[in-house]
Amino acid sequence: MKKYLITLIPVVLLGWQRGPVQERVGVTAPTAASMDEDIKPIPAQYKAEELTTRILSSYHYRKTKLNDSLSVAIFDKYIDAIDHGKLYYLASDLADFEQYKNSFDDYLQKRELDVPFQMYNVFRKRYKERSQYIQTLLKEPKPFDFNQDESMNTDREKAAWAKNTDELNDTWRKYLKSEALDLKLSGKADTAVISTLRDRYKSRDRALGRIRTEQVFQMFMNAYSESLDPHTSYMAPTSADRFKQEMSQSLEGIGALLREEDNYIKIVEVIPGGPAFKGKQLKKEDKIIAVAQGDEGKFVDIVGWFVDDAVKLIKGPKSTVVRLQIISADALPGTPPKEYRLVREKIKLEEQRAKSEIVSINNGNKDYKIGVIDIPLFYRDFEGAQHREKEFSSTTRDVQKLITDLQASNVDGIVIDLRNNGGGSLTEAVSLTGLFINRGPVVQVKESQGEIEVQSDNDPNIAYDGPLAVMVNRFSASASEIFAAAIQDYKRGLIVGEQTYGKGTVQTLIDLNQWVPKEQDQLGQVKLTVAKFYRINGSSTQLKGVTPDLELPTAFKVNEYGEGSQPSALPWDQIASSRYEVTSNINPKILEQLRDKYKHRLKTDEELKTLVKTLNDFKEARENKIVSLQESKRKAERDEAEKKRAAMKQLGEDNVDEDEDEADSKVAEAPKDVKKKKDIYLTETGRMLADLIVISKEPSLAGTKKK
C-alpha cells in the first residue's frame, strides 16, 4: 500500500470531480485541423491504445473484462462526451452508429481507431451545420420575438435526438433566444446582445477548429476508463504534462481548479489558501460565464471557451483585480449571474492549515463555550517529515496545538469542522484520529488482489477525551470520510451534517513510457484505481460515504453531486471487521435523546423552521427545468429565483460570515476569547454538543467495550 501514498494526495484532491479535467491546450499546435478536414489518429496513439487497454484490463481494481456489455457502456459514454446535450447529432447519425455499439471492445483489443475518429468527424460536420445556422439567424434584423409566449426545457438529459435539421434548428433557436433574453435582462442593448452572441459562437468555432488528434483520442480512451469507474482516466501527453506542472508549481490567481462541461467553464475545486477560498464566494460546480480585468475593465464572455483559454484570462500577477460573472451551482433556472471581485495572489499555505475559534452557544438557559477546529484539507509535508524537520507542516501537529489552546480556554466541547474538505494525506487522517482514541485500527485498505492492510494508530496518548462532534457535508470526501467513519465506529463523538461524498477508492499514476522505455513517442499517463477504503467495522466508505448520526437540513437531493451521481461508481460492499475498543461516549440511548431534542427544535425554533421550509421550497423550485422565453414571464421567474436565493443566503446556506463591521462590533462586545459567527449549521451542531454534555453526565453511560 505504501507505494500508492505518494500519488494519493493529488489524486484525492482531484479525484472526486465529474470526470477528468479536460485541459485542451491546442491553441498553437501545428497539427490542429481546420473544420473542413477530418481528424485522424497518429501512430503513437495505436501504441498508447494497446498499452492502456492492457493496463486497465489487467490492473484496475474492478477486473472488468472487455466484452459486448462493456462495449455498450463505452459507446454510450463516448457519444455523451462528444454531444452531451444532444444538440448536434441527428437521430439518423445515432442509427448509423448503432452497428458499432458492440464492437468497441474489439477496437480496443485490436488497436483500431478508425470508427471512433469517424464518429467524431461526423460531429464536426454537424457542428459546422449548426454554426452556419446560428450565424444566419443572428444576421436577421430581429431574430427573436420576446413577446411570444413560449418556453424551453433546460434539461437535455432525457431529450430525444432530433429527427431532422428543422427540429434541431428550432431547438437551437430557443437556446439562442434564451441566451439573448438573459443578456437583455442583464441590461445589454439589443445590438449589444446580438453582437455578444455572434462573438460567443465565433469563439466556439475557433476553439473547435483547434481540436487536435490527441484530444479526440483522449476522449475515446476516457470513454473506456470512465466506464470502469469515474476516477480512472487517460491523459494524453499534453494533458499529462499540464497535470504534472499544476501539481508541482505554486498557483497564482484566484485559487480554483477549472474544467469544461456543457459549454461552460466550471469550478472543480476551490483551493484552500486562495482568494476564492478566503472570500467564500465561489463553490464547486459554479459556472464562470464572463471575466473582466481590474475594477473598470469590460467583461469578456467565455461561454464556449476551452479551459486553457479561460485560465489565461483568469490568472494574472498577484495583487491585480479580476472580476467574474458566476452562475451558482444551485441557481434556479433563469437566475441572473452574480458578479464577484477577487484580488489575485499566490496560494498561501498558512490558509490551508487548521484554525480554531470559540463560539458561544446558549442551550437550556446556559452558555457553553464550544471550540471549533476548521480543517480545510489533510495536509502533510512529506519531504519535511522524511528529513525529520522539527516543525514540518502536519494537520495532526497543528490540531494538537489548537486542542491545547482550547483546553487552556476551558471550552466545554470541541467541534471538528470538515465541511468541504475534499481529502488529502491518508497518513494524517490516521494520526489525527489517534488524537481522540487510545490506540487501534483506523482504516482498512483492500487492494485489487484481495490483500487487506489495516492502518492503525499505535500511540496510546489521547490529546482530547472530552465531548466531541464532527461536522461533514456532501463535499467532505476521502480522508475526511476515513476520519469521520473512525470517530463514528469508535463511538467517540457525534457525526453531524449531511451524507458525505462517498469517495472510497485509491488511485495511482502510471507513465506509459515507463512500460516501454525504448519508445521515442510520448504516450501519456493513466490514473488507475487500485484499492478501496473500508471502515474498521468492515463497511466500505465507497458510494455510501458516512451517514451522520444527526442529519442537518440540506439543499441537495440524495446522490446529487456525490459518488452516487456517477453511473460507473464502484459498488459499496463489506469485508470482515477489525478488532477495536468501542467507547460509550455515544450509544443508541444517547442518540435517541439527542434526536428527540433536535426534532423538538425543528418544530419550535423559528430559525430552523424557516431554514427547512426555505430549503424544501428551493429543492422543489430546482426540479422545474422549464424556463419562459417571454420577457415579462422570464423577468418574473428571475425575480422569484432571486428571492429564494436571497432567503438561502440570509439563512447562512452559503456559510457566509456576517458583515465585517457588524461582526467586529459583536465580537468586541463578547468575552475576549469568544468569536460569534453567522452559521446556522454550526450553531445547531453546538446545541447538539451541549445536549451531549448534559446527557453524558448520567453515570450509567460510562465505560468501553471490545468489538
Side-chain angles (χ1 to χ4, degrees), residues 379-395:
Y379 51 88
R380 181 179 180 84
D381 179 359
F382 285 95
E383 186 176 344
Q386 186 177 6
H387 291 122
R388 298 183 179 180
E389 294 178 5
K390 188 175 181 180
E391 294 294 331
F392 69 87
S393 174
S394 160
T395 304

Side-chain angles (χ1 to χ4, degrees), residues 329-388:
D330 56 6
L332 300 176
T335 301
K338 295 290 185 184
E339 180 180 327
Y340 295 120
R341 178 186 185 274
L342 297 168
V343 179
R344 300 179 178 104
E345 59 183 58
K346 285 188 177 180
I347 305 303
K348 295 182 179 179
L349 296 179
E350 62 269 19
E351 294 290 342
Q352 301 182 19
R353 301 177 77 149
K355 292 181 174 62
S356 69
E357 61 178 329
I358 298 174
V359 297
S360 179
I361 299 294
N362 183 273
N363 197 38
N365 296 320
K366 181 180 177 181
D367 288 331
Y368 292 85
K369 288 171 64 175
I370 303 297
V372 180
I373 299 177
D374 181 18
I375 305 176
L377 80 164
F378 287 82
Y379 51 88
R380 181 179 180 84
D381 179 359
F382 285 95
E383 186 176 344
Q386 186 177 6
H387 291 122
R388 298 183 179 180

Side-chain angles (χ1 to χ4, degrees), residues 133 150 165-175:
Y133 168 75
E150 59 179 344
T165 302
D166 289 340
E167 186 178 323
L168 201 51
N169 283 347
D170 189 59
T171 297
W172 269 97
R173 178 190 63 81
K174 289 184 176 181
Y175 260 89

Side-chain angles (χ1 to χ4, degrees), residues 43-53 217 221 234 512 523-524:
Q45 289 165 354
Y46 293 98
K47 302 172 189 175
E49 179 186 29
E50 178 185 31
L51 195 51
T52 301
T53 301
F217 177 68
M221 295 310 297
Y234 167 79
L512 296 183
L523 304 181

Side-chain angles (χ1 to χ4, degrees), residues 520-562:
Q520 298 298 311
D521 294 320
Q522 290 299 307
L523 304 181
Q525 292 185 338
V526 172
K527 178 155 68 77
L528 182 69
T529 295
V530 292
K532 282 177 75 174
F533 288 128
Y534 291 83
R535 301 168 67 140
I536 54 176
N537 68 6
S539 172
S540 176
T541 57
Q542 170 61 17
L543 200 64
K544 292 185 179 182
V546 178
T547 300
D549 300 309
L550 294 158
E551 296 194 42
L552 295 172
T554 177
F556 302 116
K557 297 181 296 182
V558 175
N559 287 335
E560 187 175 14
Y561 294 127

